[in-house]
């Protein structure tokens, strides 16, 4: 029996394309929609829910809408200043923190090892989705498999990444 969290992650995978379309229309930016969708997945993955969610799709869309609204609220508080290129050139560049750079490199290497360790079909589907940016439907068509297979393989890949990277 799947846990509530697993059911929500499965709902995310099944409704990701619709969610991206909704978020793009709602917030006017495909890249912002992608960021909000990713943040939604992270929130779902980090929750351990005891109660039953009656409508996982509606729950998913509500979380995404709230994240987008929070983003707009925080973005609206920002101050934009127009400056000449000459003034911009005088702003000192931020230095790279060597410790953070090493940590990021180590995390990337660990991520690549986990991806390399996925079963071949699972890895291929993950790379087509996350690297090439194909939708689940496009991946299913390209590989000649059912969309549900793509969804289940993505859930498997993301769960494995979450286990190892947590």
């Amino acid at each position: 029996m799947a846990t509530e969290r697993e059911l929500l992650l499965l709902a995310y995978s099944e409704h990701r394309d619709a969610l991206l379309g909704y978020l793009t229309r709602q917030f006017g930016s495909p890249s912002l929609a992608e960021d909000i969708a990713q943040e939604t997945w992270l929130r779902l993955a980090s929750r351990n829910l005891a109660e039953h969610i009656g409508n996982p799709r509606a729950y998913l869309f509500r979380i995404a809408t709230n994240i987008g609204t929070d983003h707009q609220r925080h973005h609206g508080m920002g101050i934009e200043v127009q400056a000449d290129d000459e003034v911009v050139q005088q702003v000192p560049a931020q230095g790279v923190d060597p410790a953070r750079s090493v940590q990021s490199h180590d995390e990337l290497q660990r991520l690549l090892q986990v991806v390399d360790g996925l079963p071949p079909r699972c890895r291929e589907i993950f790379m087509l989705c996350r690297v090439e940016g194909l939708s689940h439907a496009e991946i299913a068509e390209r590989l000649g498999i059912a969309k549900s297979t793509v969804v289940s393989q993505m859930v498997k890949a993301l769960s494995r990444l979450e286990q190892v990277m947590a």
Side-chain angles (χ1 to χ4, degrees), residues 100-121:
R100 178 71 182 131
S101 179
V102 168
Q103 180 183 3
S104 295
H105 177 71
D106 290 346
E107 288 174 1
L108 177 61
Q109 291 305 313
R110 199 168 77 195
L111 173 69
L112 292 173
Q113 287 176 343
V114 174
V115 171
D116 284 344
L118 293 172
R121 177 60 71 148

Side-chain angles (χ1 to χ4, degrees), residues 121 124 128 136-147 149-150:
R121 177 60 71 148
E124 179 180 25
L128 288 171
H136 294 159
E138 291 168 330
I139 294 169
E141 184 178 325
R142 181 184 281 191
L143 299 178
I145 59 177
K147 185 178 174 185
T149 301
V150 173

Side-chain angles (χ1 to χ4, degrees), residues 10-12 18 20 25 28 37 39 53-54 68 70 81 85 88 91 94 98 106 122 131 137 139 141 148 151 159 163:
L10 183 60
Y12 174 87
L20 283 173
R25 288 186 305 279
E39 178 67 24
I53 304 299
D70 288 346
V81 178
D85 287 339
V88 172
V91 176
Q94 290 275 356
D106 290 346
C122 186
V131 176
I139 294 169
E141 184 178 325
S148 61
V151 169
S159 294
Q163 287 172 353

